[in-house]
Amino acid sequence: MMRAASTRVEAEVIDGKVELVLGDAACLPYRDNTMDRIFHCNCYYFWPDVNKVCLKLHRVLKDGGIMVTCLSLDRMQDIDSRGYLQCAISWDPNIYIDALKKTGFVNVEMKDEYCDKTKQAFQAIYAYKPCINES
């Protein structure tokens, strides 16, 4: 995955716009309020403690920042039915969405999206960290 991601966003990494990190999402090595945006794909269902990771994501995201995760529900159902997700905790997006809300994210929603390049449908979960002056 790291190799594929590195190839796909090589120019953005070189320009300093993107940083790819392989590590434990529950131990993010970043200071508080340092990221404008967080994107992750196909991983929340492997986190042993989804609430703990959501707290970490919330901690490092700047006020007003956005966190986006992508997955394909159709593909998840297919690979789960084949027994390939035995190591997954739960790929149910509602569990993840609830954890995001419980840890302080707002306007959390899952939307159906479509990639023009690959001609594939997928789902994106959007979550925002409120600005400090918002109540």
Side-chain angles (χ1 to χ4, degrees):
M1 286 292 274
M2 224 20 202
R3 190 175 351 196
S6 296
T7 300
R8 182 169 287 171
V9 296
E10 181 179 16
E12 290 84 356
V13 170
I14 291 169
D15 289 344
K17 295 178 181 178
V18 172
E19 179 182 4
L20 299 175
V21 177
L22 178 62
D24 184 346
C27 299
L28 296 175
Y30 303 104
R31 294 186 321 272
D32 295 359
N33 303 306
T34 55
M35 298 188 181
D36 298 305
R37 296 174 213 79
I38 297 173
F39 173 79
H40 65 88
C41 185
N42 297 319
C43 63
Y44 70 83
Y45 27 87
F46 295 111
W47 299 339
D49 187 341
V50 69
N51 290 305
K52 182 177 181 180
V53 175
C54 288
L55 279 170
K56 300 296 182 178
L57 294 172
H58 191 273
R59 177 184 65 78
V60 301
L61 193 60
K62 289 180 181 178
D63 293 343
I66 183 172
M67 191 286 311
V68 180
T69 187
C70 295
L71 70 151
S72 167
L73 292 176
D74 290 340
R75 181 154 181 179
M76 295 305 300
Q77 290 170 344
D78 179 52
I79 61 176
D80 188 35
S81 71
R82 295 172 187 233
Y84 296 141
L85 289 177
Q86 293 176 3
C87 295
I89 307 304
S90 174
W91 60 268
D92 180 351
N94 294 310
I95 292 172
Y96 180 57
I97 289 169
D98 289 344
L100 289 167
K101 291 176 181 178
K102 280 195 293 191
T103 55
F105 285 95
V106 297
N107 301 326
V108 180
E109 63 180 334
M110 183 167 64
K111 293 182 179 179
D112 293 328
E113 302 288 357
Y114 183 77
C115 179
D116 290 329
K117 184 177 180 180
T118 64
K119 309 294 185 214
Q120 293 182 329
F122 64 96
Q123 286 68 43
I125 299 171
Y126 299 91
Y128 299 83
K129 183 175 180 179
C131 293
I132 284 184
N133 57 0
E134 290 182 12
S135 38

